[in-house]
Amino acid sequence: MNSPDIRVEKGHAEPEEVAAITAILLARAAARASEPTPVHRGRARAGWRRLEREPGFRAPHSWR
C-alpha cells in the first residue's frame, strides 16, 4: 500500500498544504464522532394518505 491517502487532482500542492488539509479533515471527523447521535423522532402521522379512507367525492371548491 504505497498509494497516498490524498491525491491532488489539479495543480501542485506543497507538503505543508497537504498537511494542513489533512489536519482540517481529521479535526472535523473527530468533532463529528464526539457529537451525540440525535434521537430520531417519528412523524405524528403518516405523510401519505390511504385512499380507501378518503371520501369518494371532493368538491372542486374545497380546500382538501
Side-chain angles (χ1 to χ4, degrees):
M1 292 207 32
N2 293 335
S3 64
D5 292 331
I6 297 176
R7 182 177 66 192
V8 177
E9 290 289 327
K10 189 173 185 181
H12 177 71
E14 298 296 324
E16 295 85 12
E17 294 170 326
V18 174
I21 193 70
T22 303
I24 291 169
L25 292 174
L26 289 173
R28 288 196 58 164
R32 182 171 287 170
S34 65
E35 293 176 1
T37 305
V39 176
H40 182 269
R41 294 183 180 161
R43 293 182 180 182
R45 59 180 223 169
W48 46 269
R49 298 178 315 203
R50 294 184 64 176
L51 296 177
E52 67 268 12
R53 292 185 181 176
E54 291 289 319
F57 174 76
R58 287 191 192 172
H61 62 275
S62 68
W63 285 92
R64 293 185 139 209

